[in-house]
Amino acid sequence: MSCPLRYATKRQLNPNIAAYPVARSVIARAVQNTWDRALEVSEGKMSLEELEQANLNLVLWLQDTFSGANAHFSCESEFNEKLLPDMLRQSMGEEISLFNPAVDLEQNESLMFSVFAYFVSEIFVLLKDADCAHVGLSGNPQVEAFIDFWSLRLTGAPVASDFKTKE
């Protein structure tokens, strides 16, 4: 992932997390790292407690990154700090409330934490449903669709589930 240059100073900028290719790279890495940790647990190289801590660390890191608080990434502060939580609240609020009934959807930090906790839990569902143990991650259409879905969602692009049908 190449970094853009600031025109005036020719200084290299950090990758912008609001850009689809950057977000996609981050989401793909999160899926790969989660898969790697799941393999380590199955091989006895990592305990379940260590896996839980690694998952929590991932949730917190993703929350910071997509909220604009990770210094290794630039962001669109208006989007990442304000619009993204609003969009996620609107598109995923019900789902997040079912996942975590204690979440305060109106509080951005609580919402974003719950969104990324849900995301990490969905990675494990994906790994099972996509039969990654036999098919693997690379070239797996379900894995690619998951990565694309979340990358679009976290960069503000509408996804199919955002369009609710009226009954």
Side-chain angles (χ1 to χ4, degrees):
M1 153 175 45
S2 65
C3 297
L5 291 177
R6 184 178 187 126
Y7 181 74
T9 63
K10 305 289 190 231
R11 189 183 74 201
Q12 193 171 6
L13 300 175
N14 289 336
N16 188 328
I17 196 62
Y20 175 83
V22 175
R24 190 178 197 295
S25 174
V26 166
I27 296 302
R29 175 58 40 206
V31 171
Q32 180 67 57
N33 289 349
T34 302
W35 171 245
D36 292 345
R37 286 191 295 274
L39 289 176
E40 287 182 18
V41 169
S42 71
E43 295 167 355
K45 296 178 182 175
M46 178 183 266
S47 70
L48 287 176
E49 292 79 19
E50 291 170 319
L51 177 64
E52 287 175 3
Q53 185 60 50
N55 290 340
L56 175 60
N57 291 342
L58 176 58
V59 168
L60 294 170
W61 186 86
L62 289 167
Q63 177 185 1
D64 282 350
T65 300
F66 282 95
S67 296
N70 184 331
H72 294 99
F73 293 90
S74 64
C75 73
E76 302 301 324
S77 57
E78 180 69 24
F79 174 74
N80 290 96
E81 295 170 15
K82 297 177 184 142
L83 295 176
L84 181 59
D86 288 343
M87 290 172 53
L88 294 172
R89 186 177 293 110
Q90 185 175 357
S91 65
M92 297 182 67
E94 288 179 39
E95 209 170 347
I96 295 303
S97 289
L98 291 172
F99 174 75
N100 178 7
V103 68
D104 179 358
L105 290 177
E106 297 308 312
Q107 208 273 338
N108 285 353
E109 191 172 335
S110 177
L111 169 73
M112 296 300 277
F113 177 86
S114 294
V115 164
F116 289 109
Y118 177 76
F119 166 75
V120 170
S121 73
E122 287 295 296
I123 294 174
F124 285 96
V125 173
L126 167 73
L127 296 175
K128 179 182 178 287
D129 290 351
D131 197 19
C132 293
H134 297 101
V135 179
L137 291 181
S138 190
N140 187 323
Q142 284 180 272
V143 172
E144 292 299 315
F146 178 87
I147 292 168
D148 286 337
F149 173 84
W150 279 96
S151 301
L152 289 168
R153 173 166 268 168
L154 294 171
T155 56
V159 294
S161 63
D162 291 341
F163 301 101
K164 296 182 172 50
T165 58
K166 294 184 180 179
E167 296 176 22

